């Protein structure tokens, strides 16, 4: 009688782990036609992210393929959620997108992984994933990815793209002379502001543009902002102060109007006088503030949350 031998478990080629960090470059959202499968919960989450009802979102962005549902594609094959080279629902993206590149076809062998690396700049950068973490993600649990992406990358990450366009002469450091890619950070900050503007209508807030909230002393109000917001505000607003009172916002005019409205901060964009038809803006502000914190981490910007007047004084001393 033949003796049975125990079948040896094959060790995956990635037994020593793999390195990856998503740069949100949008390249995996373009190219050949395919499917981004979505379920009911994902559709509901995506609809909220776009400020639409589930029915409205499905009518505009979802198609049925057999018994399954998939996001639609544009005529050129791009995902319908891709806008200006970036995912417009990045923080609410489907599980299929979240777990890339740890998919079975991509993990088939080292050659397939390298082939994907040719168009996914995040492969080989940032965070190291152990065999156990890879298998967890491969099985449909994105927890390891989400935990790592919630903090700064373990090693520096450089992006070759800006708004989905390949830079002609990419800076290998990804930084300006002061060590920070301000243009890249500003572009993402503007997208966050745009996302907020698309979401605001559902809350039915009203603003009378009275300027009362900008009258800090009279209103008993202090405007706290992050480092990135302050830098964007001062670089994109008038060079001269709109008033001579250091106790006031530097761009609050004597006509009680903001002179740098397009560059105003999150605190300005989410502050509204009551009553509130739906709910107060507090939770909305906190959610978008969390995005700003992540943006500081991604670009290596030292995070501070200070009175805008203190930031203005610092710039005057330069």
């Amino acid at each position: 009688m033949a003796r049975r031998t125990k079948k040896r478990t094959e060790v995956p080629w990635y037994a020593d782990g793999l390195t990856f960090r998503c740069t949100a470059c949008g390249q995996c959202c373009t190219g050949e036609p395919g499917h981004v499968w979505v379920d009911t919960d994902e559709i509901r989450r995506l609809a909220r992210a776009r400020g639409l009802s589930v029915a409205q979102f499905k009518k505009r962005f979802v198609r049925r393929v057999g018994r399954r549902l998939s996001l639609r594609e544009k005529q050129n094959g791009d995902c319908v959620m891709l806008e200006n080279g970036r995912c417009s629902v990045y923080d609410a993206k489907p599980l299929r997108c979240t777990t890339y590149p740890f998919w079975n076809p991509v993990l088939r062998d080292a050659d397939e992984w390298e082939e994907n690396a040719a168009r996914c700049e995040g492969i080989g950068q940032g965070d190291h994933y152990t065999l156990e973490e890879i298998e967890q993600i491969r099985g449909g649990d994105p927890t390891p990815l989400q935990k790592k992406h919630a903090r700064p990358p373990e090693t520096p990450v450089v992006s070759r793209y800006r708004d989905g366009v390949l830079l002609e002469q990419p800076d290998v450091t990804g930084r300006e002379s002061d060590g920070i890619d301000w243009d890249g950070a500003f572009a993402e900050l503007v997208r966050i502001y745009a996302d907020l503007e698309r979401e605001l209508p559902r809350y039915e807030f009203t603003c009378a543009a009275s300027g009362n909230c900008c009258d800090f002393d009279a209103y008993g109000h202090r405007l706290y902002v992050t480092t990135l917001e302050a830098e964007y505000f001062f670089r994109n607003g008038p060079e001269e102060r709109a008033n001579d009172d250091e106790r006031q916002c530097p761009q609050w005019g004597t006509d009680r109007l903001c002179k740098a409205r397009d560059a105003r901060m999150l605190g300005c964009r989410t502050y509204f006088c009551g009553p509130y038809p739906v709910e107060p803006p507090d939770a909305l502000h906190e959610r978008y503030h969390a995005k700003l914190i992540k943006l500081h981490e991604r670009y290596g910007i030292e995070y501070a949350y200070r009175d805008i007047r203190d930031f203005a004084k610092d710039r005057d001393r330069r």
Side-chain angles (χ1 to χ4, degrees):
M1 184 175 178
R3 183 180 179 183
R4 292 185 177 180
T5 58
K6 185 177 181 180
K7 185 178 180 180
R8 185 176 62 181
T9 302
E10 185 178 351
V11 178
W13 65 270
Y14 48 84
D16 292 332
L18 294 169
T19 303
F20 169 74
R21 180 72 172 217
C22 179
T23 66
C25 69
Q27 295 307 297
C28 60
C29 310
T30 65
E32 299 178 359
H35 300 102
V36 178
W37 305 115
V38 288
D39 60 24
T40 302
D41 289 338
E42 289 172 325
I43 291 174
R44 187 178 298 112
R45 188 171 70 243
L46 291 166
R48 285 199 301 268
R50 292 299 295 257
L52 299 171
S53 68
V54 171
Q56 290 173 325
F57 184 86
K58 290 176 70 174
K59 183 177 180 179
R60 291 176 57 182
F61 301 122
V62 179
R63 60 187 172 118
R64 181 170 291 279
V65 182
R67 295 184 178 181
R68 304 180 71 181
L69 298 175
S70 174
L71 293 180
R72 295 181 183 275
E73 295 174 333
K74 301 176 183 179
Q75 289 185 343
N76 63 356
D78 290 356
C79 176
V80 72
M81 292 290 104
L82 192 67
E83 295 182 358
N84 299 319
R86 295 294 181 103
C87 175
S88 63
V89 289
Y90 187 82
D91 291 335
K93 60 186 181 293
L95 178 65
R96 179 69 173 168
C97 304
T98 302
T99 55
Y100 179 81
F102 300 107
W103 296 351
N104 288 334
V106 181
L107 294 171
R108 182 169 51 214
D109 53 46
D111 290 339
E112 190 67 37
W113 181 260
E114 290 302 322
E115 184 176 327
N116 275 263
R119 65 187 183 94
C120 175
E121 63 181 11
I123 292 178
Q125 298 195 78
D127 306 310
H128 180 77
Y129 290 84
T130 65
L131 173 61
E132 291 74 18
E133 289 174 324
I134 295 170
E135 293 302 312
Q136 185 177 349
I137 301 167
R138 186 179 188 178
D141 182 357
T143 302
L145 274 164
Q146 293 169 336
K147 286 183 176 179
K148 291 180 187 292
H149 278 71
R151 56 179 184 257
E154 297 166 8
T155 58
V157 175
V158 177
S159 178
R160 304 190 301 271
Y161 295 87
R162 182 165 297 159
D163 296 332
V165 178
L166 180 65
L167 300 177
E168 294 182 2
Q169 294 180 326
D171 180 354
V172 295
T173 65
R175 306 295 189 216
E176 295 177 350
S177 59
D178 63 355
I180 297 174
D181 177 12
W182 288 107
D183 287 342
F186 289 159
E188 293 203 39
L189 176 63
V190 170
R191 279 191 288 272
I192 289 176
Y193 285 161
D195 289 343
L196 173 63
E197 292 303 314
R198 283 195 294 267
E199 185 175 353
L200 279 174
R202 78 169 73 164
Y203 295 92
E204 302 178 19
F205 294 130
T206 57
C207 177
S210 64
N212 290 338
C213 57
C214 302
D215 191 352
F216 296 154
D217 285 351
Y219 202 65
H221 181 65
R222 298 184 69 185
L223 175 60
Y224 282 85
V225 304
T226 65
T227 307
L228 177 59
E229 292 176 283
E231 194 68 27
Y232 181 77
F233 178 75
F234 287 113
R235 290 198 190 191
N236 292 276
E239 293 185 6
E240 301 295 328
R241 287 185 62 98
N243 59 70
D244 297 325
D245 190 346
E246 291 187 353
R247 296 173 300 176
Q248 304 295 352
C249 174
Q251 295 306 333
W252 187 48
T254 55
D255 56 359
R256 302 182 70 81
L257 296 177
C258 175
K259 303 306 176 182
R261 184 170 177 80
D262 289 343
R264 69 192 187 281
M265 287 71 68
L266 179 65
C268 307
R269 296 169 187 267
T270 57
Y271 188 87
F272 297 91
C273 299
Y276 306 115
V278 179
E279 62 182 72
D282 305 64
L284 179 70
H285 180 276
E286 289 302 314
R287 179 153 51 84
Y288 277 86
H289 183 78
K291 295 183 179 184
L292 296 183
I293 294 176
K294 290 183 179 179
L295 201 53
H296 283 75
E297 295 172 348
R298 189 179 308 158
Y299 282 87
I301 300 171
E302 184 176 355
Y303 172 83
Y305 194 51
R306 305 166 57 205
D307 193 311
I308 185 62
R309 295 172 295 187
D310 293 334
F311 277 113
K313 290 177 183 178
D314 288 346
R315 296 185 76 85
D316 291 341
R317 297 190 191 103
R318 293 180 184 177

